Amino acid sequence: MLQLRLSCALRNCRPAYRSFNTTAVRLKPLVILDEQHATDKVTNVTPAILSKIPMRLHNQTDHPLSILKTIIQSHYDDFSHFSSLSPLVTPFKNFDELSFPKDHPGRSVTDSYYINKDLMLRTHTSAHEVQVFGEKQDKWLLTADVYRRDEIDRSHYPVFHQMEGARLFDATAAGMKEVEEDNARLEGILKQSNIVIEDIPHISEANPVQPTHNPAHAELVAKNLKLSLNSLILRLFGSGERSSPLRVRWIEAYFPFTSPSFEVEVFYGGRWLEILGSGVVLQSTLDKANVQGKIGWAFGLGLERIAMVLFSIPDIRLFWSQDERFLSQFKSGEITTFKPYSKFPACFKDLSFWNPEGSAPLHDNDFCDVVRDVAGDLVEDVKLIDSFVHPKTNRSSSCYRINYRSMDRQVGFTREQE
Ligand code: PHE
C-alpha cells in the first residue's frame, strides 16, 4: 500500500520535479511559525520537513538532545545561551555573511531547503554568528535545529541539531595573558586524565593564520580552542571506568568562515567518529558584526552524533519518536543506556520508474524527500540499486530499494494490542 502511494506520488509530482517542487507546496503561500511566506520556483520544502519545525527537540525536558545540551552548557558555565532562534534565515545570512563562495555546493536546491529564493532553512548554527557577535557577546553557546537535504539511512536525517560555541579575547597583551592563563588551567586538567590526543600544528601553510592576525595571538587562540574542546570531550566521553585511554584526534579542515580550521574525531566503539568543526573566527565575520580589536574561536558540534554514542541510540529516527517507551527512558542530567523496545523486522520493496524524457535522472535527495512525505519515519534506508538506459529510446529508469522498519511496533502484535 505504501509503495502504491509512493509511486502515485512520484507520478503526480513528476513534471515539477526538475526543480523539485511538489504541487502541494508550490501553489500557495506557506505558513511557518505563524507567518505567511510566498513560494516561488525554488521552493523545495516538503510537508514532512515543515512538520518538524515546531518540535524543537533540544528544548524538550528529558529528551536526550536537551540532556546533552544541558551537560555542555554546564561545562561552559559562564557562557550565554541561545536556543530559540527561528530556523528561517536568508541565504545571505546562511552563506554570504560567512564568506561562502558564490558557487559553493551547499547553496544548491539539491542540498538545502528553500522556502523561496530569499528565505531558507538554516543549514548550520554558524548562520547566527554575525548576529550574536553583533550583540557584543564574547562567550556564547547557541543550540538549534538545522536542515540539510540528504539521503535516508540510520545515521542521516534531514533535520538535526547543532550547538555552536564561541569565545573572543581582546587582541592585546592583556587579552593574550588571559588566554595563556586559561591554557595553563586547561592543560592542568587534561594532564591528570586518561586521554591521548593526536594533535597537529595550530598553524601551517595549508591551514594558515589570517593576514590581519598577529601569528603569536592566533597560535595562542587556536591552542585555547583545542584545550577547551579537549576538556569538553573528556567530560562527555571520558567518564566511567576505562581500561584504555580515550583517543581524540585533530584534523586539518577547511571552512569558509574560519582560519586555521579543524575537525575533531573521537575513537569510540572501534571507529573514528567525527563530532565537530571549529577554527579561529574569520576577521571579516567580526568586522560585519562591528566587533573591533578582538580575536577568537568558534566550534559547531552535531548533537545527534554524540547522543547516539553516549545513550547507545542505534537509529537517528528515534530522536523524533513520541513513543513513551522511548521518552520515558531519559532523565535530565543523566546519561543512560537506551534499551530497545521494538525488534520489528525489516521489509524491503523495490520501486522502479522511468525518468522524465530528455532529462537527467531524479536526484537521490529528491527521491528521498518524496519517500519521507509518503512513508515518514517508517523508512530506515533508501538505496539506488539499478539504473538503466534504454538502448533504442535513450530513456533512463532508476530502481530504488526502500527498506521499511517500524521503530515502535513489536512482532506478533497488532497495533491495538501493543
Ligand atoms: N558550521 C560548521 C558545520 O556545520 C561547523 C563549524 C562551526 C566550523 C564553527 C567552524 C566554526 O559544519
Side-chain angles (χ1 to χ4, degrees):
M1 182 57 196
L2 271 175
Q3 222 201 343
L4 182 69
R5 279 169 49 206
L6 198 54
S7 44
C8 291
L10 264 176
R11 204 172 327 109
N12 293 340
C13 296
R14 172 93 61 74
Y17 259 76
R18 304 267 19 94
S19 60
F20 192 66
N21 256 315
T22 62
T23 35
V25 297
R26 184 174 49 167
L27 299 174
K28 27 184 182 117
L30 293 172
V31 177
I32 306 171
L33 300 172
D34 298 330
E35 271 188 41
Q36 188 160 309
H37 298 280
T39 53
D40 60 20
K41 66 180 193 312
V42 304
T43 306
N44 64 357
V45 278
T46 62
I49 295 300
L50 291 174
S51 71
K52 301 288 191 283
I53 293 178
M55 296 197 48
R56 298 179 188 257
L57 300 180
H58 56 288
N59 292 339
Q60 269 180 36
T61 319
D62 292 344
H63 191 280
L65 294 177
S66 87
I67 296 174
L68 179 57
K69 176 189 84 168
T70 309
I71 294 173
I72 298 172
Q73 284 177 343
S74 66
H75 187 75
Y76 287 105
D77 58 354
D78 57 344
F79 280 45
S80 311
H81 303 152
F82 301 86
S83 56
S84 310
L85 276 78
S86 166
L88 299 177
V89 297
T90 59
F92 182 80
K93 186 165 165 148
N94 197 79
F95 298 119
D96 301 85
E97 238 178 28
L98 291 165
S99 314
F100 276 72
K102 281 280 174 228
D103 59 352
H104 193 278
R107 295 178 185 259
S108 72
V109 287
T110 51
D111 283 26
S112 298
Y113 287 106
Y114 285 84
I115 314 302
N116 57 48
K117 68 177 187 354
D118 301 317
L119 199 65
M120 65 184 302
L121 294 170
R122 71 183 149 224
T123 63
H124 56 166
T125 41
S126 306
H128 299 286
E129 277 194 7
V130 171
Q131 173 187 357
V132 180
F133 284 134
E135 290 172 21
K136 305 291 171 244
Q137 298 283 346
D138 280 355
K139 296 175 172 186
W140 54 270
L141 295 173
L142 186 153
T143 313
D145 38 333
V146 299
Y147 299 75
R148 289 186 199 171
R149 298 194 66 199
D150 221 326
E151 291 158 32
I152 298 180
D153 66 38
R154 285 163 83 90
S155 58
H156 288 93
Y157 204 85
V159 190
F160 58 103
H161 295 77
Q162 284 189 331
M163 195 164 198
E164 189 94 358
R167 180 163 186 189
L168 299 182
F169 300 92
D170 290 338
T172 57
M176 290 308 111
K177 189 153 175 278
E178 190 191 336
V179 185
E180 274 173 324
E181 281 167 11
D182 199 45
N183 287 354
R185 177 185 68 85
L186 291 163
E187 271 173 328
I189 296 172
L190 288 159
K191 247 193 213 111
Q192 293 161 17
S193 60
N194 200 11
I195 179 169
V196 174
I197 297 153
E198 295 176 27
D199 201 1
I200 51 169
H202 306 325
I203 289 166
S204 68
E205 212 176 306
N207 207 8
V209 59
Q210 294 168 43
T212 58
H213 281 167
N214 174 334
H217 292 189
E219 281 268 349
L220 279 174
V221 168
K223 184 174 178 186
N224 187 259
L225 163 70
K226 290 177 173 176
L227 288 168
S228 172
L229 285 169
N230 286 337
S231 80
L232 172 69
I233 291 164
L234 182 67
R235 165 81 166 257
L236 294 175
F237 293 90
S239 61
E241 289 299 301
R242 305 186 65 87
S243 46
S244 51
L246 176 67
R247 291 172 67 195
V248 175
R249 69 179 180 196
W250 285 80
I251 293 168
E252 232 168 55
Y254 166 78
F255 299 103
F257 43 95
T258 49
S259 191
S261 303
F262 311 96
E263 276 168 358
V264 177
E265 294 184 344
V266 172
F267 196 72
Y268 205 89
R271 63 190 183 102
W272 288 101
L273 180 80
E274 188 204 315
I275 55 164
L276 63 85
S278 63
V280 176
V281 177
L282 219 60
Q283 214 55 33
S284 65
T285 307
L286 298 178
D287 292 344
K288 284 173 199 142
N290 261 321
V291 171
Q292 270 117 38
K294 303 256 181 188
I295 178 170
W297 49 251
F299 67 79
L301 55 80
L303 288 179
E304 275 85 349
R305 270 282 173 87
I306 298 175
M308 284 176 86
V309 169
L310 292 181
F311 296 89
S312 305
I313 294 174
D315 191 310
I316 197 162
R317 292 174 297 162
L318 279 160
F319 290 105
W320 298 92
S321 175
Q322 295 297 304
D323 194 306
E324 267 310 298
R325 290 167 298 174
F326 175 76
L327 294 172
S328 65
Q329 293 199 25
F330 306 101
K331 271 267 146 320
S332 288
E334 289 173 28
I335 293 187
T336 45
T337 303
F338 170 68
K339 292 180 207 68
Y341 50 86
S342 160
K343 292 205 172 60
F344 211 66
C347 158
F348 68 80
K349 302 281 179 214
D350 292 345
L351 183 83
S352 60
F353 50 88
W354 289 110
N355 285 293
E357 220 159 333
S359 58
L362 201 65
H363 193 286
D364 284 353
N365 289 350
D366 287 341
F367 182 73
C368 284
D369 268 325
V370 178
V371 172
R372 283 200 177 89
D373 266 353
V374 176
D377 285 350
L378 268 187
V379 175
E380 182 174 273
D381 62 57
V382 172
K383 280 194 188 71
L384 179 68
I385 55 168
D386 193 22
S387 12
F388 165 79
V389 179
H390 193 285
K392 289 208 179 108
T393 63
N394 231 10
R395 286 194 75 181
S396 71
S397 76
S398 309
C399 179
Y400 285 91
R401 175 155 295 174
I402 304 169
N403 198 21
Y404 297 87
R405 190 202 301 265
S406 167
M407 296 176 300
D408 299 328
R409 299 189 65 183
Q410 289 178 12
V411 194
F413 287 91
T414 62
R415 204 64 203 135
E416 291 70 39
Q417 284 171 307
E418 276 172 24

